[in-house]
Amino acid sequence: MNSLGPTLLAIDDEPGILALVERFARTLQFNVVCHDGASGVLAEIDELRPDVVLVDLQMPEINGLEVLRAIRDVDPECAVVLMTAHASVDTAIEAVKLGALDYLTKPLDFDRLRGLLTTVLKGIERREALLEIDADVARRFEFHGTIGRSAAMQDLFDSIRRLAPHVRTLLITGETGTGKELVARAFQQLGPRRQGRFLTVNCSAVVDALFESELFGHQRGAFTGATETKVGLFEHADGGTLFLDEVGELPLSVQPKLLRAVEYGDVQRVGSLETRHVDVRVIAATSRDLRAEGAAGRFRSDLYFRLNVLEIHLPPLRDRREDIPLLTAAFVRENAARLQRPLTGVTTAAERALQESQWPGNIRELRNVLERACLLSEARILGEREVRQAMRIGSSAAGALEHASAATEPPTVGDSLSSAQRGQIDRVLRQARGNKTEAARLLGISRRSLYRWLDRLGHAEPKASQPGH
Ligand SMILES: Nc1ncnc2c1ncn2[C@@H]1O[C@H](COP(=O)(O)OP(=O)(O)OP(=O)(O)O)[C@@H](O)[C@H]1O
Ligand SMILES: [Mg+2]
């Protein structure tokens, strides 16, 4: 449908007009869909996502202004042109006030129609060109996978370039999703150890009791369950870089040993008296305020000061909104390639929605929202609707689609889901190759919610014959 070119929907009870409009719009490369009345059209608009609708003002059942209002509700960005045999200035003004692009009198003036359709086409082309430009700028301003053209990010790239060859210890701070890990990797790539290993420890994921052995290793028999001697991450990373992610979660008990390892390169396996020397560059990252953690007794200040020899702070996305269009373009392009869909950009209204959001989850959240919006969208250009829907899904862990359909527990099975939503679910399932866990993740809902929705859609529950799904 939409993916092949712009789509025009014509609605008129006179078949002659429909035929004329159809022939004419085809010459301008529009896909044309015709309807001889307004009933059933709104559901179709939801599905078809036309770029422009031509609608007759006077039809037997519903009049054109009502259709216009309804279209604006469903898809505020769709261009609507009204046609009438009885021109009246009042209805024309009313129509334009309601958001119509323009008003044509019958018999149709094809020059004016061409003018209007060309405006629509130009608008689409401009948006696509903008994305193209932003994606190119994003590529040019990319710094080892990190995109940013804001002054804050440019300064940061500059610091990394200058410092990376010299720094041994580094603390990267910033809210969740701001790109701390990307920056850690950039440091590694630009430093003298790019050939060495880059090992990551996620400090929030290690069980307290195993921390010491994880980092420093243990001797066989050092504790119950230590059946083999184990080499710790510090020794593994010798000559390379150890990335301590979420270092604020590190148990207090391990901190003195870590301080010694960072300061002198001395490590000791659990259960061994022997001290080994390693040459490891330590990059730590945290979304917590370690100074405050220190004051509260949850983090040793001496370790904090040692890690903090150099601190790189990543500003939250809401403080560098000028990066949003670039990131958007890059992420849409990435998804288009991955999904093999001709997605080319976002509409102006969608861009505004993205600009105005607070992004508590920062770039990760933006990336996820765009991934979902790309999955939800049928059109070439992501609209405000898909973007807002994708944002809601992200913010309501409890149940995205519930929210999207504005009904928590619809009384009638199946009815509450629009065909567009059925389409979305089917599309996401296809994208996830039928894997329900993956589909639920993409939709931002729990597996159980997904099953509930599949149930409503009349999809068969997966039986034991489909293990792993
Ligand atoms: N400036 C950027 N340009 C492109 N992608 C980015 C940028 N910043 C972050 N990302 C992407 O956002 C996601 C989160 O980044 P990253 O894992 O580095 O964040 P983080 O600060 O480590 O988050 P957390 O504190 O939650 O671990 C990743 O997919 C990363 O590729
Ligand atoms: Mg991280």
Short mmCIF file of all heavy atoms in Angstrom, two decimals, residues 176-182 202 243 245-246 285 364, ligand 2:
data_model
loop_
_atom_site.label_atom_id
_atom_site.label_comp_id
_atom_site.label_asym_id
_atom_site.label_seq_id
_atom_site.Cartn_x
_atom_site.Cartn_y
_atom_site.Cartn_z
N THR A 176 20.79 6.95 33.29
CA THR A 176 20.68 5.72 32.52
C THR A 176 20.39 6.02 31.04
O THR A 176 19.67 6.96 30.72
CB THR A 176 19.56 4.81 33.12
OG1 THR A 176 19.49 3.65 32.31
CG2 THR A 176 18.20 5.49 33.11
N GLY A 177 21.03 5.26 30.17
CA GLY A 177 20.77 5.39 28.73
C GLY A 177 21.45 6.58 28.06
O GLY A 177 21.14 6.89 26.92
N THR A 178 22.38 7.24 28.73
CA THR A 178 23.01 8.42 28.11
C THR A 178 24.21 8.04 27.25
O THR A 178 24.79 8.90 26.61
CB THR A 178 23.47 9.44 29.18
OG1 THR A 178 24.12 8.75 30.22
CG2 THR A 178 22.29 10.22 29.73
N GLY A 179 24.62 6.77 27.28
CA GLY A 179 25.71 6.36 26.39
C GLY A 179 27.03 6.13 27.12
O GLY A 179 28.09 6.21 26.51
N LYS A 180 26.97 5.79 28.39
CA LYS A 180 28.20 5.63 29.17
C LYS A 180 29.05 4.48 28.62
O LYS A 180 30.27 4.58 28.53
CB LYS A 180 27.87 5.38 30.66
CG LYS A 180 27.17 6.57 31.31
CD LYS A 180 26.98 6.40 32.80
CE LYS A 180 25.98 5.32 33.15
NZ LYS A 180 24.59 5.67 32.76
N GLU A 181 28.38 3.42 28.26
CA GLU A 181 29.14 2.28 27.75
C GLU A 181 29.78 2.59 26.39
O GLU A 181 30.92 2.20 26.13
CB GLU A 181 28.22 1.05 27.63
CG GLU A 181 28.99 -0.16 27.18
CD GLU A 181 28.32 -1.47 27.58
OE1 GLU A 181 27.30 -1.45 28.29
OE2 GLU A 181 28.85 -2.51 27.17
N LEU A 182 29.06 3.33 25.56
CA LEU A 182 29.63 3.72 24.26
C LEU A 182 30.89 4.54 24.46
O LEU A 182 31.89 4.35 23.77
CB LEU A 182 28.62 4.57 23.48
CG LEU A 182 27.53 3.87 22.70
CD1 LEU A 182 26.66 4.90 21.98
CD2 LEU A 182 28.16 2.92 21.69
N ASN A 202 29.11 -6.12 35.02
CA ASN A 202 27.95 -5.35 35.43
C ASN A 202 27.76 -5.55 36.93
O ASN A 202 27.27 -6.58 37.38
CB ASN A 202 26.72 -5.81 34.67
CG ASN A 202 25.52 -4.96 35.01
OD1 ASN A 202 25.53 -4.22 36.00
ND2 ASN A 202 24.48 -5.06 34.22
N PHE A 243 35.89 -2.76 32.36
CA PHE A 243 34.81 -1.77 32.46
C PHE A 243 33.89 -2.17 33.60
O PHE A 243 33.21 -3.19 33.54
CB PHE A 243 34.05 -1.70 31.14
CG PHE A 243 32.87 -0.76 31.15
CD1 PHE A 243 32.99 0.53 31.66
CD2 PHE A 243 31.65 -1.15 30.64
CE1 PHE A 243 31.91 1.41 31.67
CE2 PHE A 243 30.56 -0.28 30.65
CZ PHE A 243 30.70 1.00 31.16
N ASP A 245 30.76 -1.52 35.15
CA ASP A 245 29.50 -0.83 34.92
C ASP A 245 28.70 -0.83 36.22
O ASP A 245 28.74 -1.80 36.97
CB ASP A 245 28.73 -1.56 33.81
CG ASP A 245 27.75 -0.65 33.12
OD1 ASP A 245 27.67 0.54 33.49
OD2 ASP A 245 27.05 -1.12 32.21
N GLU A 246 27.97 0.25 36.45
CA GLU A 246 27.16 0.40 37.68
C GLU A 246 28.03 0.21 38.91
O GLU A 246 27.69 -0.53 39.83
CB GLU A 246 26.00 -0.60 37.73
CG GLU A 246 25.09 -0.58 36.53
CD GLU A 246 24.35 0.74 36.35
OE1 GLU A 246 24.39 1.57 37.28
OE2 GLU A 246 23.79 0.93 35.27
N ALA A 285 31.65 3.16 35.52
CA ALA A 285 30.50 3.98 35.12
C ALA A 285 29.44 3.89 36.20
O ALA A 285 29.30 2.86 36.85
CB ALA A 285 29.93 3.50 33.79
N ARG A 364 18.62 5.51 25.12
CA ARG A 364 18.09 4.15 25.01
C ARG A 364 16.58 4.20 24.81
O ARG A 364 16.03 3.48 23.98
CB ARG A 364 18.43 3.34 26.26
CG ARG A 364 17.86 1.92 26.16
CD ARG A 364 18.11 1.03 27.36
NE ARG A 364 19.51 0.75 27.55
CZ ARG A 364 20.22 1.26 28.52
NH1 ARG A 364 19.66 2.07 29.40
NH2 ARG A 364 21.49 0.98 28.66
MG MG B 2 25.42 0.91 30.71
#
